[in-house]
């Protein structure tokens, strides 16, 4: 079946901004009975596509695989769905929805959050973005630091009261205004200074010629080496296509004999000026629940050697391997050192329960006796 000469796969492959124009162009092509059938469907399509545009997702296509979406994009799609549901008296909680968002699109996101609020809902956003904080009605700041230094409410007050000229310390019923690092930055008392001088680099460059993957328009670009390089642009402008999907696969193939398929390009110049590539992305650092920052960075090897050297361990004859929860010996064998047991629920998500033998401590009691 075709509508206005297009099949459903062609329509799904359009960017949402193009899709909106196409849907609006259909008003003129239906007549009579067709027009009656299409009227309500077109109204729903226009509304739902507009919700996606309002949260800054005009560059996505409807057939984009959800696994390829960033965390921020996924949240904004859910947000667009909620705006369309027209619910009231709901508390919406969002965790850093501005991640990876250009400031231009950030304003669209804030406008969408305010629309949810104006329909009679409460919206709570965990966020670091100054513009989002300044757009809030009420601000709560937790601090003053992280870890042991955190856990206190430093601020809980209307934003207008905080950024206006008020006394620094006021305690009035629900309102708490105490020493707050966040407030110092919002008021401009503290700021991140622009560097007075920049690095000049090493004079060498790495360049791509004729990059034309996805929406890149035959791009030529040279990156100066020995510097910190920022690649900016609005969402969907081609940053990831250029760096992650063109440059990175080329370098991985050259240095590590990978068989990745880079997006189309003509040539790469200056590759002799670098000798390796290290990619640091947002994928989980460990393949198993046992991985943690200590095992990943190698610090845990030194910690195990330290325990092996203690008098307690020497008396018991324990070697460093005894203090690993990844190999049999000192670990709890009930949970194989994981501290948790995974119960498969067939058609439901798996459930993690704390191991009843070691109570989540991962080791046998005689291993834990070594101080």
């Amino acid at each position: 079946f075709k509508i206005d000469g297009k099949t459903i796969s062609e329509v799904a492959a359009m960017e949402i901004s193009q899709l909106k124009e196409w849907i609006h162009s259909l008003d003129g092509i239906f007549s009579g009975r067709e027009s009656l059938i299409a009227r309500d469907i077109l109204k729903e399509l226009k509304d739902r596509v507009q919700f996606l545009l309002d949260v800054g997702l005009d560059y996505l296509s409807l057939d984009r695989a959800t696994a390829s979406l960033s965390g921020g994009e996924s949240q904004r799609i859910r947000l667009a769905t909620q705006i369309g549901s027209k619910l009231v008296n709901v508390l919406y909680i969002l965790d850093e929805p501005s991640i990876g968002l250009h400031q231009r699109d950030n304003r669209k996101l804030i406008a969408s959050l305010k629309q949810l609020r104006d329909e009679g809902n409460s919206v709570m956003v965990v966020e670091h973005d100054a513009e989002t904080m300044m757009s809030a009605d009420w601000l709560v700041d937790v601090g003053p630091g992280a870890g042991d230094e955190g856990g206190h409410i430093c601020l809980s007050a209307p934003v207008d009261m905080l950024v206006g000229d008020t006394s620094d310390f006021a305690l009035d019923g629900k309102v708490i205004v105490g020493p707050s690092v966040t407030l110092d930055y919002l008021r401009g008392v503290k700021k991140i200074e622009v560097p007075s001088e920049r690095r000049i680099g090493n004079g060498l460059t790495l360049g791509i010629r004729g990059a034309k993957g996805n929406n890149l328009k035959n791009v030529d670009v040279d990156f100066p080496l020995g510097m910190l390089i920022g690649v900016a642009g609005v969402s969907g402008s081609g940053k990831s296509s250029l760096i992650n999907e063109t440059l990175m696969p080329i370098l991985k193939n050259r240095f590590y004999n990978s068989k990745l398929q880079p997006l189309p390009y003509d040539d790469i110049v200056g590759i002799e000026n670098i000798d390796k590539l290290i990619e640091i992305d947002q994928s989980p650092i460990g393949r198993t629940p046992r991985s943690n920052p200590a095992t990943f960075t190698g610090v845990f090897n030194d910690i195990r050697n330290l325990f092996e050297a203690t008098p307690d361990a020497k008396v018991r004859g324990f070697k460093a391997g005894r203090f690993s929860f990844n190999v049999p010996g000192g670990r709890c064998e009930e949970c194989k050192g994981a501290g948790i047991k995974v119960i498969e629920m067939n058609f439901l998500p798996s459930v993690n329960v704390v191991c009843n033998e070691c109570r989540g401590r991962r080791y046998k009691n005689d291993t834990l006796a070594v101080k």
Side-chain angles (χ1 to χ4, degrees):
F1 286 90
K2 291 188 177 183
I3 292 178
D4 193 24
K6 292 196 186 298
T7 63
I8 191 165
S9 63
E10 290 172 316
V11 172
M14 287 181 178
E15 284 191 1
I16 289 170
S17 52
Q18 297 171 322
L19 181 64
K20 178 192 174 184
E21 291 172 18
W22 182 75
I23 291 169
H24 280 273
S25 74
L26 296 180
D27 287 335
I29 70 161
F30 294 126
S31 59
R33 182 165 171 269
E34 285 180 340
S35 177
L36 282 172
I37 293 168
R39 186 179 62 198
D40 288 346
I41 297 170
L42 283 178
K43 178 184 177 299
E44 281 295 313
L45 277 173
K46 287 175 188 171
D47 285 349
R48 288 168 193 229
V49 166
Q50 189 59 48
F51 296 144
L52 289 169
L53 291 171
D54 289 344
V55 293
L57 294 174
D58 50 318
Y59 58 93
L60 291 184
S61 58
L62 293 184
D63 61 359
R64 172 85 172 262
T66 46
S68 70
L69 297 171
S70 71
E73 286 168 344
S74 304
Q75 271 204 101
R76 281 179 279 145
I77 287 175
R78 293 194 197 109
L79 180 60
T81 309
Q82 292 304 327
I83 294 170
S85 69
K86 301 288 183 192
L87 295 173
V88 295
N89 293 331
V90 174
L91 171 64
Y92 289 100
I93 296 178
L94 294 94
D95 188 12
E96 297 189 46
S98 72
I99 286 177
L101 211 53
H102 192 274
Q103 292 310 113
R104 184 191 71 174
D105 299 316
N106 208 14
R107 286 176 191 150
K108 290 181 183 173
L109 174 70
I110 291 167
S112 299
L113 294 174
K114 287 184 172 178
Q115 185 182 338
L116 272 182
R117 173 202 65 187
D118 294 342
E119 285 170 2
N121 300 300
S122 307
V123 182
M124 200 180 286
V125 187
V126 177
E127 190 56 275
H128 301 229
D129 176 66
E131 199 168 4
T132 309
M133 286 190 260
M134 294 300 288
S135 302
D137 301 308
W138 191 284
L139 186 65
V140 177
D141 181 36
V142 186
D148 288 348
E149 295 176 13
H152 303 279
I153 301 298
C154 304
L155 277 185
S156 181
V159 172
D160 289 344
M161 173 189 152
L162 296 174
V163 293
D165 189 18
T166 60
S167 61
D168 271 348
F169 302 99
L171 202 59
D172 175 26
K174 295 184 233 174
V175 174
I176 302 170
V177 184
S180 162
V181 178
T182 306
L183 186 55
D184 288 344
Y185 280 99
L186 290 179
R187 286 179 173 174
V189 177
K190 288 184 179 175
K191 48 168 107 46
I192 299 170
E193 300 293 347
V194 174
S196 55
E197 55 186 71
R198 311 275 184 178
R199 288 178 70 109
I200 55 171
N202 57 19
L204 303 172
T205 60
L206 175 68
I208 296 180
R209 302 287 178 264
K212 40 190 164 299
N214 293 341
N215 51 6
L216 293 171
K217 309 285 193 290
N218 212 18
V219 169
D220 296 340
V221 60
D222 287 308
F223 300 108
L225 299 175
M227 305 170 88
L228 175 62
I229 306 165
V231 181
V234 296
S235 299
S237 57
K239 304 182 295 293
S240 297
S241 298
L242 180 65
I243 306 302
N244 296 345
E245 297 174 53
T246 307
L247 179 64
M248 193 162 66
I250 296 169
L251 297 178
K252 278 190 170 179
N253 292 349
R254 192 69 62 92
F255 292 133
Y256 309 124
N257 296 317
S258 300
K259 297 289 184 279
L260 301 171
Q261 189 63 48
L263 294 177
Y265 71 102
D266 293 338
D267 194 18
I268 182 157
V269 292
I271 202 165
E272 67 281 356
N273 296 328
I274 52 175
D275 62 5
K276 66 167 73 72
L277 166 80
I278 295 172
E279 175 197 1
I280 299 176
D281 61 12
Q282 292 181 331
S283 58
I285 62 170
R287 295 277 169 265
T288 72
R290 295 171 189 198
S291 178
N292 60 35
T295 57
F296 191 79
T297 56
V299 172
F300 208 51
N301 297 337
D302 295 324
I303 293 174
R304 288 201 298 269
N305 292 336
L306 188 64
F307 270 89
E308 183 188 13
T310 60
D312 285 357
K314 287 177 176 170
V315 167
R316 292 171 171 80
F318 291 169
K319 298 296 179 199
R322 182 87 190 188
F323 302 100
S324 169
F325 44 67
N326 286 324
V327 293
R331 72 180 185 184
C332 167
E333 288 304 323
E334 183 72 20
C335 62
K336 302 286 189 285
I340 55 170
K341 285 181 164 181
V342 179
I343 300 174
E344 298 291 343
M345 299 292 282
N346 293 331
F347 303 110
L348 294 168
S350 302
V351 173
N352 293 337
V353 295
V354 175
C355 171
N356 55 6
E357 183 74 26
C358 67
R359 293 193 173 81
R361 292 184 298 175
R362 298 179 157 200
Y363 295 99
K364 294 176 181 170
N365 283 335
D366 57 354
T367 314
L368 292 170
V370 177
K371 295 280 193 285

